[in-house]
Amino acid sequence: MRLPRSHVVWPAVIAIALFVLRLFSNQHYGFHRDELALLDDARSLAWGYVAYPPLTPALARTSLELFGDSLSGFRVFAALAQSIAAVLAGLIAREMGGTRATQIVAALFTALAPFSMVSGGLMQYVSFDYLWWVLLAWLMLRLVNSGDARWWLAIGAVIGVGMLTKYTIVFCVAGIVIATVATPLRAHLRSRWLWLGVALSLLLFLPNALWQWRHDFISLDFLQFIHARDVRIGRTRDFLVEQLYGNAGLMALPVWFAGLVWLTLSKAGRRYAVVAWMYLIPLLLFVIAQGRSYYLAGAYPMLLAAGCVAIEQFLHRQGPLRAGYALTGTGLLTVWVTVMAIGSGLIGLQFAEVNSTGWRISRAAHDNFAEQIGWPELVEEVARIYHALPPAEREHTAVFTNNYGEAGAINLYGPKLGLPTAISPVNSYWYKGYGATPPKTVIVLGDSPEDIADAPAHCEFAGRIRNRYNVPNEESEDHPDIFICRDLRIPWPQAWPKMQKFG
């Protein structure tokens, strides 16, 4: 069905304004450690990687082809994904019966959600996973309202693309399955279109599934390791509490909660109960599985849209008091959205000077900006150590990194400084090996003095990682020392298979 232009113009204006704002914001600071690894993977396209499915590296490769290694250009698709999600939130409100004003408000709340603000500024798979959740909610509502079973083809296509983005989309799919069985949509179980949609999703996912099979389902080992680490260090402990403020934001809590209540308890809302199932089932599964709070972020735009519709319908029922409520509500909404915009902007936009008050506010909420600082300085220090070696030794020297951010930084900034390609046992880097010729000398990053003492080689301190802003982050605080190791006592062909690690 073709949408009237008037129903998408203002949400689109909001989305475009947000996109332009991010183009300017996203050129500050530097590449995040996750983006540095993604840059490397984008140069070596495959149907799978240890840490994620192949779609995000493919989009990153497209960014490289279009914009080179421009920081803002590299993040274009992430910014675009968040802008599209805002438009979709407006369309979701429309499917639930919201007026044009309600659609605009739904788009605004989604655009200003803290998670969306942050993920629109980083080229990571979570940005696109978020979009697929929102798109699936809209498609399911189109299915409910139209009764046209052919929408299952679009739903299946998005699920397949979602599986090529982030495997946790299966939690959203679980919600869709339960929603189908628990609502009148169960009649579609007899429709060939539903099963064609299932087949399409599996067909799209097939290349990555084959890659996993050929690599012994290595991503399952990775996910088990990362999950155990997150549970061990407490990253999953406050999952439920963080749902109140971490994804849609504390200011939006009354709105999305009103939406959830409306969907489950009101006669008008129960028609769209599929949306409630798409939230409650993943919520329950993530609690059981001990997921991280942001895994559910993509479920909130549909609740925000429902909440906006619920509030609109409440005001509409007030009869003679409606005009007064509308005037008061407009003023309150303006203040509400302004405060939310300021708060989310301080948390999510990359405008504040490093170490300024705005920087410290964002740092209190997350560490993503801090992890963008200091990479060129790290590579410069490695280059100083490398070029201080005798020429004959340099010919047989490798740069060994213990995390993917260091490897990505060496491979991005190192060629201009004469450094060799980094070797690393972490994630997909392990498959690339240690080079055609086993190195005799290794410059090691990411180890502590205690860890390096156990290395089967003679290692000595060679330098320390610093950044010009003195920003504490993983590189400058957790493992700032750089070492040179020689006389490896175990041959590389024997040692490398045992070095594989995840991070």
Side-chain angles (χ1 to χ4, degrees):
M1 180 177 130
R2 188 173 179 179
L3 295 172
R5 186 183 304 174
S6 60
H7 287 288
V8 296
V9 168
W10 284 108
V13 168
I14 293 169
I16 292 170
L18 186 64
F19 179 73
V20 172
L21 182 65
R22 283 198 173 108
L23 289 182
F24 288 99
S25 169
N26 287 351
Q27 59 188 311
H28 295 91
Y29 309 149
F31 288 103
H32 188 277
R33 68 170 60 252
D34 293 350
E35 293 176 314
L36 290 168
L38 186 61
L39 275 164
D40 257 4
D41 287 334
R43 297 187 182 98
S44 305
L45 291 181
W47 277 111
Y49 302 86
V50 171
Y52 35 64
L55 181 63
T56 308
L59 291 173
R61 177 62 172 269
T62 305
S63 297
L64 287 174
E65 296 293 336
L66 293 174
F67 311 110
D69 58 6
S70 159
L71 185 60
S72 184
F74 187 66
R75 295 166 172 171
V76 158
F77 288 118
L80 186 61
Q82 301 311 301
S83 291
I84 294 173
V87 174
L88 287 170
L91 294 178
I92 289 171
R94 176 181 180 271
E95 292 297 328
M96 294 180 183
T99 62
R100 187 186 310 171
T102 300
Q103 296 165 42
I104 293 170
V105 175
L108 273 172
F109 272 112
T110 299
L112 297 176
F115 178 88
S116 180
M117 275 289 188
V118 174
S119 61
L122 295 172
M123 182 62 173
Q124 297 175 322
Y125 55 67
V126 295
S127 302
F128 308 104
D129 177 66
Y130 182 87
L131 174 60
W132 307 142
W133 280 63
V134 182
L135 181 53
L136 282 170
W138 178 69
L139 290 172
M140 289 298 293
L141 288 173
R142 288 297 304 128
L143 177 66
V144 169
N145 283 336
S146 69
D148 188 343
R150 289 174 295 181
W151 283 104
W152 284 113
L153 287 177
I155 292 166
V158 175
I159 290 172
V161 171
M163 285 295 292
L164 296 177
T165 305
K166 191 172 186 285
Y167 298 126
T168 51
I169 196 75
V170 297
F171 290 82
C172 181
V173 174
I176 290 174
V177 170
I178 298 300
T180 302
V181 174
T183 69
L185 286 177
R186 71 178 69 90
H188 287 234
L189 292 172
R190 296 188 296 271
S191 170
R192 72 178 187 276
W193 295 108
L194 184 151
W195 300 108
L196 286 172
V198 171
L200 179 58
S201 67
L202 295 174
L203 182 63
L204 288 170
F205 177 58
L206 181 61
N208 181 241
L210 291 174
W211 184 92
Q212 292 289 352
W213 178 67
R214 294 187 186 116
H215 292 79
D216 300 318
F217 297 94
I218 187 66
S219 292
L220 292 179
D221 296 331
F222 168 83
L223 292 171
Q224 288 173 358
F225 174 86
I226 295 299
H227 178 66
R229 180 204 65 186
D230 288 345
V231 172
R232 184 178 67 253
I233 64 179
R235 287 180 174 175
T236 65
R237 185 181 303 122
D238 299 322
F239 175 87
L240 285 175
V241 174
E242 290 178 5
Q243 299 309 311
L244 303 179
Y245 64 85
N247 291 319
L250 187 60
M251 297 290 290
L253 171 60
V255 179
W256 70 256
F257 188 74
L260 183 60
V261 171
W262 179 72
L263 290 166
T264 54
L265 298 181
S266 75
K267 183 178 179 181
R270 279 198 295 271
R271 171 177 170 81
Y272 310 109
V274 59
V275 170
W277 287 113
M278 289 176 65
Y279 175 78
L280 293 171
I281 295 302
L283 174 70
L284 175 63
L285 293 177
F286 280 132
V287 169
I288 294 172
Q290 295 182 285
R292 295 186 65 176
S293 61
Y294 69 85
Y295 292 177
L296 194 58
Y300 285 93
M302 61 187 181
L303 295 186
L304 289 170
C308 290
V309 173
I311 293 169
E312 178 190 45
Q313 292 187 0
F314 169 79
L315 294 175
H316 184 76
R317 290 194 298 270
Q318 303 314 302
L321 298 176
R322 190 160 58 227
Y325 276 128
L327 183 61
T328 303
T330 300
L332 179 61
L333 177 64
T334 301
V335 174
W336 199 277
V337 170
T338 301
V339 172
M340 187 173 178
I342 293 171
S344 294
L346 286 172
I347 291 172
L349 296 178
Q350 302 175 37
F351 279 123
E353 294 293 327
V354 178
N355 293 326
S356 66
T357 300
W359 168 273
R360 289 193 292 273
I361 291 173
S362 67
R363 183 65 194 269
H366 61 87
D367 64 358
N368 287 296
F369 298 162
E371 294 302 329
Q372 300 176 42
I373 302 299
W375 297 109
E377 294 97 313
L378 178 150
V379 179
E380 289 166 5
E381 179 63 8
V382 173
R384 181 194 67 78
I385 296 168
Y386 178 78
H387 290 294
L389 297 173
E393 186 175 13
R394 280 204 305 269
E395 292 180 5
H396 303 284
T397 297
V399 179
F400 182 98
T401 73
N402 277 284
N403 75 54
Y404 53 78
E406 295 161 349
I410 294 295
N411 293 343
L412 177 62
Y413 302 112
K416 294 180 180 178
L417 300 177
L419 289 176
T421 300
I423 65 173
S424 177
V426 181
N427 298 348
S428 292
Y429 285 103
W430 180 79
Y431 286 108
K432 298 176 183 179
Y434 49 81
T437 304
K440 295 180 181 179
T441 300
V442 182
I443 299 173
V444 179
L445 292 85
D447 256 332
S448 66
E450 294 76 20
D451 291 335
I452 205 73
D454 295 331
H458 177 264
C459 300
E460 60 187 27
F461 174 81
R464 180 163 284 118
I465 299 168
R466 297 181 176 87
N467 61 72
R468 65 180 182 274
Y469 297 107
N470 293 316
V471 169
N473 56 23
E474 182 175 332
E475 303 306 314
S476 65
E477 292 285 301
D478 296 350
H479 41 71
D481 295 337
I482 303 174
F483 303 91
I484 293 181
C485 294
R486 301 179 175 91
D487 305 321
L488 183 66
R489 294 189 291 274
I490 301 176
W492 279 97
Q494 181 180 343
W496 192 256
K498 300 177 182 178
M499 290 183 179
Q500 185 179 28
K501 60 192 292 190
F502 304 119

